[in-house]
Amino acid sequence: MGYASAGIASHRLPADDYAKNFSDLTPPFTPHEAVVAADRCYFCFDAPCVQACPTHIDIPLFIRQITTGNADGAAETILDANIMGGMCARVCPVEQLCEEACVREHAEGKPVRIGSLQRYATDALMAKDQGQPFGRQPATGRRVAVVGAGPAGLSCAHRLAMLGHDVTIFDAKPKPGGLNEYGIATYKTTNDFAQREVDFILSIGGITIRHDMALRRDVTLAQLQADHDAVFLGLGLAGFNSLSGFPPFAEVTDAVPFIEALRQAPDKAAVPVGRKVVVIGGGMTAVDAAVQAKKLGAEEVTIAYRRGPEHMKASAFEQDLAKTSGVTIRHWVTPTGFEGREGRLVAASFTHAPPGLNGSAEPLSIPADMVLAAIGQTFDGDPLDGAMTLSGGRILVDAERRTSVPGLWAGGDCVFGGQDLTVAAVEDGKQAALSIDRALRDAQPSSQAAE
């Protein structure tokens, strides 16, 4: 990633600072801390936390198992519902899901720390390096293709393997994991956890991954349908919304490649960052990019968002994290262009129009030698060649994640209604796998899988 600006540089901080800055955001529980936290659970009947979890983990059960010293049993309870329970414990916005629904939260403003307890149990099991607690059912002889090795694809593949089917995953990247590997802040998933979790998932057997295989470029949908009994699409969002209509500057780029470069860099100090960074957007990607820019040594980092804090997709926790990390958040600002000097970026221009200005707006210039756009990702439907029905620019599926094409399922961010959450993608993959299994078992042995 090359930049023209002299203000963008690497190795801004003392070497020791990088290890500290990119260490675990939330230290894991000790066994004593886990038991103390678990003892706060009321073990509710028809627990609201379970209803709030997209994968419907039996949260009271796994917390009770922790209180009795059965961390392995707790992990199995979690992973049976969500095979990526370890990652979700790290990246799920629990403050908007299970912990927000917790009875303790409503009564005391202090929920049971469900996410930390989930991490405690799953980490304890994975640390034993004894594989997973699930085995495969007898082989069915059926073959399923999964396109995409992100959360939806891996979840689907794992459940299908459990059910006795053989799965081949086709992924465009050189490493599996999808956004878990390439798109999440480094301080949220330390010690190469994303790949360790993938290895854990694949240890069930029956799953083969073919890397650097992009749909249409290297394999077509028609080929996959001809060679397999069913196909699942977990394509994710490959495109970016762009800041169009503005003069181009090399120092203005998308936030996702910035996060990916940092995630994949063996030496974080070598990743260049500006002195004055502006991030445009209001979601989790914007916060991840802004906080990491600060941790790389940027002196001033500003998130510029076009509406108020209550409208930001980033949770209140994430917004507070940005602020405590030294990031300034400016609301009600809309980008209008960029200012340059001698071909180099010097500022980002906005209009500032908070409520109460009666429709008038004030010009605002924020000094910047680097701008990261985090204004959303888009689905690239070109590789589908118009084969199926889309809605809102994404794949339309039913409750079982079936597309309009018999024998073809889809899930995750690529489908209409996708929630841009790892945990929701995992649930899509799981439900699609169960639907595929029903379809394959109902079909005649010689027939192709159908609805």
Side-chain angles (χ1 to χ4, degrees), residues 216-235:
R216 192 165 72 170
R217 185 193 71 192
D218 303 298
V219 63
T220 67
L221 196 55
Q223 287 174 321
L224 294 178
Q225 290 175 289
D227 295 341
H228 299 83
D229 297 294
V231 178
F232 174 79
L233 302 174
L235 298 170

Side-chain angles (χ1 to χ4, degrees), residues 147-148 169-173 210-215 217-219:
V147 183
I169 302 177
F170 299 82
D171 192 72
K173 293 282 192 178
R210 296 186 62 185
H211 299 290
D212 298 307
M213 295 288 291
L215 190 62
R217 185 193 71 192
D218 303 298
V219 63

Side-chain angles (χ1 to χ4, degrees), residues 254-441:
D254 195 88
V256 173
F258 170 76
I259 293 172
E260 179 177 330
L262 183 56
R263 284 276 298 167
Q264 299 303 308
D267 179 11
K268 307 307 179 192
V271 177
V273 70
R275 292 186 184 278
K276 298 178 180 180
V277 180
V278 172
V279 181
I280 300 175
M284 305 289 265
T285 299
V287 171
D288 281 357
V291 172
Q292 292 190 116
K294 193 69 178 176
K295 290 179 179 292
L296 283 170
E299 296 168 7
E300 298 177 14
V301 180
T302 303
I303 291 177
Y305 180 58
R306 62 188 178 88
R307 301 179 71 187
E310 69 278 13
H311 300 111
M312 292 180 71
K313 287 188 176 180
S315 67
F317 171 83
E318 292 287 334
Q319 294 180 50
D320 288 342
L321 173 64
K323 294 173 185 176
T324 56
S325 298
V327 175
T328 299
I329 303 180
R330 299 294 303 263
H331 297 106
W332 302 106
V333 293
T334 302
T336 57
F338 303 108
E339 303 169 32
R341 185 180 302 122
E342 297 179 352
R344 292 175 176 172
L345 179 73
V346 295
S349 301
F350 301 86
T351 55
H352 181 219
L357 285 186
N358 298 320
S360 62
E362 302 171 346
L364 174 67
S365 178
I366 303 178
D369 51 24
M370 183 179 193
V371 172
L372 299 171
I375 54 176
Q377 294 178 254
T378 58
F379 174 62
D380 179 9
D382 288 347
L384 302 179
D385 292 322
M388 65 199 67
T389 303
L390 304 183
S391 180
R394 303 191 192 186
I395 301 171
L396 184 65
V397 296
D398 64 12
E400 292 195 21
R401 282 66 172 182
R402 294 175 295 195
T403 73
S404 60
V405 179
L408 212 59
W409 285 255
D413 294 346
C414 69
V415 303
F416 177 68
Q419 300 179 48
D420 193 24
L421 292 173
T422 295
V423 65
V426 170
E427 180 66 5
D428 278 356
K430 181 179 72 179
Q431 292 302 328
L434 296 174
S435 178
I436 291 169
D437 178 67
R438 288 191 292 270
L440 295 183
R441 293 181 190 278

